[in-house]
Amino acid sequence: MKSHTRTRVEPMAEEAGKGQIRQINEARILSAAERVFAGAGFGGATMAAIADQAALPKANLHYYFGAKRDLYRAVLAQTLQDWLEPTHVIVPEADPKTAIEAYIRAKMALSIARPHASRVFANELLHGAPMIKSLLITDLRQLVLSKSDVIGQWIDAGKMAPVNPVHLFFTIWAATQTYADFEVQVCAVLGQTELNRAEQDRATEHVVSLILRGCGFS
């Protein structure tokens, strides 16, 4: 009886272990791909270069993602998903100031922590979004309209200034992503080679304060 139980449990544990290894390798590959695509663009990037960056055999990339185009799409989709996830705080019952501030801070943190992902996404948009346009007009549009409706409810209730909810999102994206997409320009003006922690914190507080004031929060 004990032996029978063990033979049932061990395959389950083995499968769980394989699943965890797959997640780790996929995350490692996506992180490497972000850096390579950001530097070389889709056309200039190679699976060999991404494999070198990930310190994994090239065969692993093809096993998990198939072709370069599949990996590129995966990077874009993951980036969009990570950008949209923090909007979960924007719900009717939330405090408007707290929710909007949390979203701005989360978006700013992503730009600082993963600038390469932001640059890959920006480059895709600059080329007309050939790979990700379907996600922009479905997932992104639906979520923004849904969250804009919540912000509209807050405005109607007199809880914040009468801003345009959809354009508020555009403003937040522009203000936060500029520190990733145009980091070279920002650093040149600040006289730095890269944004240090103090400048990152200063930038975050500036963006948060500016947008919150525009929303009518003191």
Side-chain angles (χ1 to χ4, degrees):
M1 190 67 182
K2 290 182 180 179
S3 175
H4 179 65
T5 302
R6 186 165 54 252
T7 58
R8 287 190 304 171
V9 172
E10 286 176 352
M12 292 175 62
E14 183 179 350
E15 285 302 313
K18 288 180 179 178
Q20 188 174 30
I21 291 172
R22 183 183 185 91
Q23 289 179 353
I24 292 171
N25 283 342
E26 286 184 350
R28 188 171 172 180
I29 292 168
L30 286 171
S31 179
E34 286 178 4
R35 296 191 292 273
V36 175
F37 284 131
F42 176 75
T46 65
M47 293 293 265
I50 295 170
D52 287 344
Q53 184 71 233
L56 288 170
K58 184 180 174 182
N60 282 38
L61 274 65
H62 290 289
Y63 173 76
Y64 289 114
F65 293 99
K68 182 175 75 167
R69 184 178 298 267
D70 300 322
L71 179 52
Y72 180 68
R73 283 197 185 109
V75 168
L76 293 169
Q78 182 65 58
T79 300
L80 183 59
Q81 179 182 325
D82 291 343
W83 283 353
L84 297 184
E85 195 277 333
T87 64
H88 74 276
V89 298
I90 303 175
V91 291
E93 61 272 20
D95 173 68
K97 179 181 179 181
T98 301
I100 292 174
E101 178 176 351
Y103 176 58
I104 298 169
R105 289 187 182 280
K107 194 68 179 57
M108 194 71 174
L110 281 169
S111 288
I112 292 170
R114 292 174 54 202
H116 297 101
S118 184
R119 290 169 200 152
V120 175
F121 200 90
N123 193 47
E124 168 71 6
L125 298 188
L126 288 171
H127 286 82
M131 301 279 195
I132 203 173
K133 194 167 186 178
S134 61
L135 287 178
L136 299 182
I137 62 179
T138 55
D139 294 21
L140 178 62
R141 183 172 188 273
Q142 290 166 13
L143 184 136
V144 170
L145 292 180
S146 173
K147 296 305 179 180
S148 293
D149 183 64
V150 173
I151 294 173
Q153 293 176 42
W154 291 339
I155 293 170
D156 292 342
K159 295 181 178 180
M160 60 181 289
V163 300
N164 183 294
V166 172
H167 286 274
L168 174 60
F169 279 102
F170 296 157
T171 299
I172 292 172
W173 299 343
T176 56
Q177 287 165 229
T178 194
Y179 289 96
D181 302 342
F182 298 101
E183 182 184 13
V184 172
Q185 176 177 266
V186 172
C187 289
V189 173
L190 293 174
Q192 299 181 354
T193 55
E194 62 179 22
L195 285 179
N196 57 37
R197 182 57 184 270
E199 285 296 347
Q200 291 171 0
D201 291 344
R202 190 174 293 115
T204 298
E205 296 310 317
H206 168 75
V207 172
V208 168
S209 175
L210 193 66
I211 295 176
L212 289 183
R213 285 202 305 271
C215 290
F217 304 123
S218 56

